Amino acid sequence: MSFTNLGLRAELLHAIADQGYDTPTPIQAQAIPYVLAGRDLMAAAQTGTGKTAGFTLPILQLLSTRESLSLSRFKPRALVLTPTRELAVQVHESVRTYGKYLSLRSAAIYGGVAMGPQFKALKHGVDILVATPGRLLDHIGQRSADLSGIEILVLDEGDRMLDMGFIRDIRKIIALLPKKKQCLLFSATFSDDIRGLAAGLLDHPQSVEVARRNAPTELVTQSVYHVDKGRKRDLLIKLIDDHGWHQVLVFTRTKHAADALAERLNKADITAAALHGNKTQGARQRALEDFKRNKVTVLVATDIAARGIDIDQLPHVINYELPNVPEDYVHRIGRTGRAGSEGEAISLVCVDEHKLLRDIERVLNRPIEKRVIEGFEPDPSIRAEPIQNGRGAQTRPARSGSYERKPGAPRTPQRPSRSGFGNAAAHHNGARHR
Ligand code: AMP
């Protein structure tokens, strides 16, 4: 299978060639023909599968080859909703990258930055709008965004949007769209909530399911280092120093812990930046860029902020604190071991986290190798204490979700797919979905 067989126009093939891609990924091979045929789509695919190009390429083709249905050339024709600012930026970058030889206009609209430039872009006219739900509703409230010309809607990372409590915002936005439109729903997992959303939105959808491009179990070496809570920082510094690691993504449960750890690492002469939802958009982008360009050695991130981060060949992921939800562990370690390169995921686990570790092993369906480093042996007299999920925040039960989630947002843990990674299966409405 090549991109040429998918029926994409020359300008898109040219842009794809510039990227150096020679074969479509399974999700692209499955999804692109259906989207081009105008079908609604329900796609089970995670970050790392090439899903963004899977919807961006056919949307660019459809919009560039058919006349706008709307009389106004200022109204957006395609809307991509994403749960996070980072993902909005990345999707928008893809739209620009793949659409560089076409004359379609695009904009990304997300919170945490001034509205001014966004007003300007919208006023200028946009064909493809990538947006986070909250900021888009702000624009609708101010009448700067008009969704009455939308021909194609994409909900990207649908499960995350529901986890983050965006369901009401999404429903409000959908109510403003024309009845007749093509809808594409991408989600890593298909919970009852997602199915409920899909049922009301999609019309005889084609289902496409692909497993992750790389299975954590296949390409990521996982290990647990048992260590007391108060000694985690020293152990992390020792590991980085001893191995000479130059690019390490470290996860904490809370924003406060991310800030505190980044500060301490910097004091220990290990360059580090924190990435979390309290940072301004500019600071988040800068931290990510510095990390990608190896200007900082360590990026300390919370789960939601790290969602959608795409760094080729990220060698090391450290769980400084285990996530409250086992599925977040799978997402975290999925940041490494990509694109065929081997990755390493290390979890620093203290006595408080033993239950979380058992939950993770249950989801993985196998134990993780345990290690103890000399000089960092846990003190057996230390008793487990309830996990604090942030300064001043009440302790939440282990499965209630990570600290950054909106209170009350539903969270239904899903078992990761057991199917082989890189496999793809397309099937019709109502067929196998987890
Ligand atoms: P995504 O799952 O959309 O976040 O994409 C993951 C990564 O795969 C991105 O870095 C893309 O640039 C890359 N990618 C997308 N399509 C292809 C392809 N056909 N061949 C190689 N890499 C790709």
Side-chain angles (χ1 to χ4, degrees), residues 3 21 23-25 28 46-52 213 310 312:
F3 280 103
Y21 306 161
T23 27
T25 65
Q28 292 162 3
Q46 294 167 321
T47 303
T49 55
K51 67 181 168 66
T52 317
R213 210 158 50 168
D310 183 36
D312 283 342

Side-chain angles (χ1 to χ4, degrees), residues 328-343:
D328 282 342
Y329 174 87
V330 179
H331 284 304
R332 286 179 177 190
I333 72 166
R335 312 283 108 210
T336 179
R338 294 232 197 142
S341 64
E342 295 202 356

Side-chain angles (χ1 to χ4, degrees), residues 12-41:
L12 293 171
L13 294 175
H14 191 174
I16 292 167
D18 287 353
Q19 288 303 106
Y21 306 161
D22 35 54
T23 27
T25 65
I27 187 77
Q28 292 162 3
Q30 300 287 341
I32 290 173
Y34 293 124
V35 182
L36 289 178
R39 294 282 304 266
D40 279 5
L41 195 71

